[in-house]
């Protein structure tokens, strides 16, 4: 029953399917993984840009007329954490730098969520001064685990980085 011409066709179809399916599955997984990593990168860039704009809107002159609007490193870290839901705050490293070069380093970000240090400091909080936020996030490449016989690439990672600089507006 299974030894006729139909059995050869089924076996041939199975081989053709296997030859075509393996690359299609690999390419599909590669596209999905790169899409997820691109989303993480864009989220990181967006989060630090929003945080820099937030900090720039809370300069020295915003405290005039009885306003109390100075912010802390913890406030900026919370903005970044809120705006980056796809990133693990235990892996995200952030540096908040001011015009004079002083910096608050949050390695990792969640270590600064409750920091009460004013940012930018009183001497770097003037209109026209720059604020620079730098962020890095590790990207782990899962594709080498699918490469047969190559264990040397397992655990290989890349670091995504982003920088934004904004000027204090008031």
């Amino acid at each position: 029953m299974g030894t006729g011409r139909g059995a050869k066709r089924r076996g041939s179809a199975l081989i053709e399917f296997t030859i075509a399916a393996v690359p299609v599955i690999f390419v599909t997984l590669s596209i999905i993984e790169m899409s997820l990593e691109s989303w993480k990168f864009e989220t990181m860039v967006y989060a630090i840009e929003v945080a820099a704009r937030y900090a720039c809107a809370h300069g020295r002159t915003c405290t005039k007329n009885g306003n109390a609007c100075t912010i802390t490193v913890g406030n900026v870290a919370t903005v970044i954490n809120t705006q980056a839901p796809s990133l693990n705050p235990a892996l995200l490293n952030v540096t908040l730098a001011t015009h004079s070069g002083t910096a608050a380093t949050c390695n990792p970000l969640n270590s600064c969520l409750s920091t009460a240090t004013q940012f930018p400091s009183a001497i770097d909080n003037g209109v026209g001064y720059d604020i620079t936020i730098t962020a890095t996030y590790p990207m782990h490449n899962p594709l080498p685990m699918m490469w047969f016989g190559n264990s040397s690439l397992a655990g290989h990672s890349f670091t995504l980085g982003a920088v934004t600089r904004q000027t204090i507006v008031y």
Side-chain angles (χ1 to χ4, degrees):
M1 243 176 130
T3 60
R5 217 168 157 186
K8 286 185 179 181
R9 285 188 185 153
R10 280 192 297 269
S12 170
L14 185 58
I15 291 171
E16 290 170 358
F17 172 77
T18 303
I19 290 172
V22 169
V24 167
I25 290 170
F26 185 76
V27 168
T28 302
L29 290 175
S30 298
I31 290 170
I32 291 169
E33 185 60 32
M34 287 309 299
S35 298
L36 289 172
E37 296 305 327
S38 294
W39 176 49
K40 289 177 184 178
F41 175 72
E42 290 300 323
T43 300
M44 180 178 62
V45 170
Y46 176 76
I48 66 170
E49 285 179 355
V50 169
R53 280 186 252 135
Y54 172 73
C56 287
H58 292 84
R60 186 180 305 146
T61 57
C62 81
T63 60
K64 291 184 177 180
N65 300 326
N67 294 326
C69 61
T70 55
I71 59 172
T72 64
V73 170
N75 296 132
V76 177
T78 301
V79 169
I80 294 170
N81 190 39
T82 303
Q83 295 297 322
S86 66
L87 302 179
N88 181 353
L91 298 175
L92 180 62
N93 295 325
V94 176
T95 302
L96 310 171
T98 58
H99 140 98
S100 68
T102 58
T105 304
C106 300
N107 291 339
L109 179 68
N110 58 3
S111 68
C112 288
L113 293 175
S114 61
T115 303
T117 305
Q118 181 181 341
F119 182 79
S121 65
I123 59 170
D124 291 324
N125 205 7
V127 174
Y129 290 171
D130 286 339
I131 293 173
T132 303
I133 300 179
T134 306
T136 58
Y137 192 78
M139 177 185 91
H140 300 287
N141 187 358
L143 298 178
M145 72 180 166
M146 296 177 209
W147 198 261
F148 304 108
N150 193 359
S151 62
S152 65
L153 290 176
H156 189 65
S157 65
F158 304 96
T159 301
L160 301 174
V163 177
T164 185
R165 185 166 63 182
Q166 304 284 331
T167 303
I168 296 175
V169 290
Y170 67 92

